[in-house]
Amino acid sequence: MRLTGCGGAGFRIGPPETGRRGPARAPAALGALLTATCAAVACTAAAPLPATPPLTGATSPPPPARVADLVLPFDAYRPTPGQRALMARARAALLARCMHRRGHAVSPPRPDAAAFAAGDPGNSRRYGVADPRRARRHGYHLPPSKPPGQGWDAWETALGRSARRDLAGTPGRPGCDERATAELASRTGPAPGSPPPDWQWLALQDARTVEQAARHPAVVEAVTRWKTCMERAGHPYPSPEAAIADPRWNLRSAAVTAREKRTATADTACKWSSGLVPAWFAADVAAQRAVVAAEPARFAALRDDLRARLDGAAEVLER
């Protein structure tokens, strides 16, 4: 699948030094249906976030005991890796049918659901490294994974000149690449009178709630305990962000040093023993719940749009 750099459904935006995902590359089937512009989301004007409720009583989620427990309110409105793979498969099927109609017996690479899952850390890196097993093996590096779109460029390059022309299109005649995206969009557009879904807005709120949660008093206190724990382990850092941003770790290189692994392992252990992950998660949940409660129409539009996308993709694959 062609990919796009736009943020969107299921893709968070965050500075790399935090360990969270940066602007992800989404399948064109999804990205083309989002906001047309990809202009700096972080600079988008937005109303202040609703006040975060205190973390007591019914507003406080059960304390997480492992990274698999880090499920946030916004997650219910975003496609899972399996659902993104489903939509990518539908687009690939539409593209193949278009190419066949134009006389090309070709089949694009089948989107790999496992690759989508392997390449999505979920919320396991939202608060920096938090998975002990991965820290021991990969340090501060993201585990290597096969990109969901791997194989597409090689497939396109191997096409003949005529097939590449029909894939890309010519002036006045859209190619199958564009037609597949348009056809999938026509099956999943919002109902007449419904508010349009704003996936860029959700990506912005996602980035803002985690930053808001980081300023919660319970999180600030936990960071102090984390610092003490790290100092005792021989790794003095002023903050978790400073630990992952240590220039000794070359996160663009595939190589992971033993020192990085030791530091990341201690970092992860201290995040849990200090209560930093549970506190940050609880504040994050409260912040996201407040946004959901304040914007019911926006979230209903997102939910309906995702359902329409999945139904449309399933319909394509059933034919």
Side-chain angles (χ1 to χ4, degrees):
M1 292 296 90
R2 290 192 184 280
L3 304 177
T4 174
C6 300
F11 302 95
R12 296 186 180 81
I13 294 175
E17 66 271 14
T18 65
R20 296 189 299 280
R21 281 171 288 182
R25 306 186 73 203
L30 191 57
L33 298 175
L34 306 179
T35 305
T37 178
C38 300
V41 173
C43 300
T44 302
L49 287 170
T52 302
L55 305 181
T56 57
T59 63
S60 182
R66 52 181 184 160
V67 292
D69 297 333
L70 302 178
V71 180
L72 292 161
F74 286 1
D75 292 340
Y77 299 90
R78 282 189 289 250
T80 65
Q83 290 170 337
R84 295 203 304 273
L86 173 71
M87 290 185 278
R89 286 198 300 273
R91 183 178 179 279
L94 290 171
L95 190 149
R97 293 170 195 171
C98 176
M99 291 292 284
H100 290 175
R101 287 194 298 270
R102 296 188 181 187
H104 306 291
V106 297
S107 297
R110 179 179 174 82
D112 186 355
F116 276 87
D120 187 340
N123 294 319
S124 67
R125 303 268 299 191
R126 187 168 175 86
Y127 314 114
V129 290
D131 187 326
R133 180 181 60 83
R134 289 187 174 183
R136 288 192 296 269
R137 186 172 181 180
H138 303 291
Y140 288 107
H141 282 63
L142 282 169
S145 62
K146 183 173 69 173
Q150 189 175 49
W152 178 267
D153 290 341
W155 174 81
E156 185 175 346
T157 301
L159 295 176
R161 181 179 301 177
S162 175
R164 286 200 301 272
R165 183 176 61 248
D166 282 334
L167 177 67
T170 56
R173 189 184 189 222
C176 288
D177 200 4
E178 183 178 342
R179 285 188 177 278
T181 297
E183 184 174 347
L184 194 59
S186 70
R187 297 169 179 269
T188 60
S194 299
D198 192 346
W199 293 105
Q200 289 283 62
W201 176 85
L202 181 63
L204 175 61
Q205 302 312 306
D206 188 69
R208 297 175 73 211
T209 56
V210 72
E211 298 300 340
Q212 180 191 31
R215 298 190 293 272
H216 194 282
V219 178
V220 174
E221 292 174 6
V223 169
T224 299
R225 296 192 296 271
W226 174 90
K227 288 169 59 178
T228 300
C229 177
M230 287 291 281
E231 288 170 358
R232 289 173 178 169
H235 308 286
Y237 289 102
S239 67
E241 289 82 359
I244 197 171
D246 192 320
R248 292 178 297 179
W249 327 136
N250 183 359
L251 301 184
R252 297 185 180 277
S253 168
V256 185
T257 65
R259 188 172 195 172
E260 179 187 335
K261 292 178 182 178
R262 288 195 300 271
T263 305
T265 299
D267 184 350
T268 302
C270 287
K271 277 200 180 82
W272 288 99
S273 65
S274 67
L276 176 55
V277 171
W280 204 343
F281 172 71
D284 207 2
V285 168
Q288 291 197 2
R289 284 178 177 171
V291 175
V292 173
E295 299 282 357
R298 282 185 185 266
F299 282 93
L302 293 171
R303 181 195 60 227
D304 293 345
D305 182 65
L306 177 56
R307 182 181 298 119
R309 291 174 189 274
L310 297 174
D311 289 346
E315 181 183 345
V316 168
L317 295 173
E318 289 171 358
R319 296 178 67 182

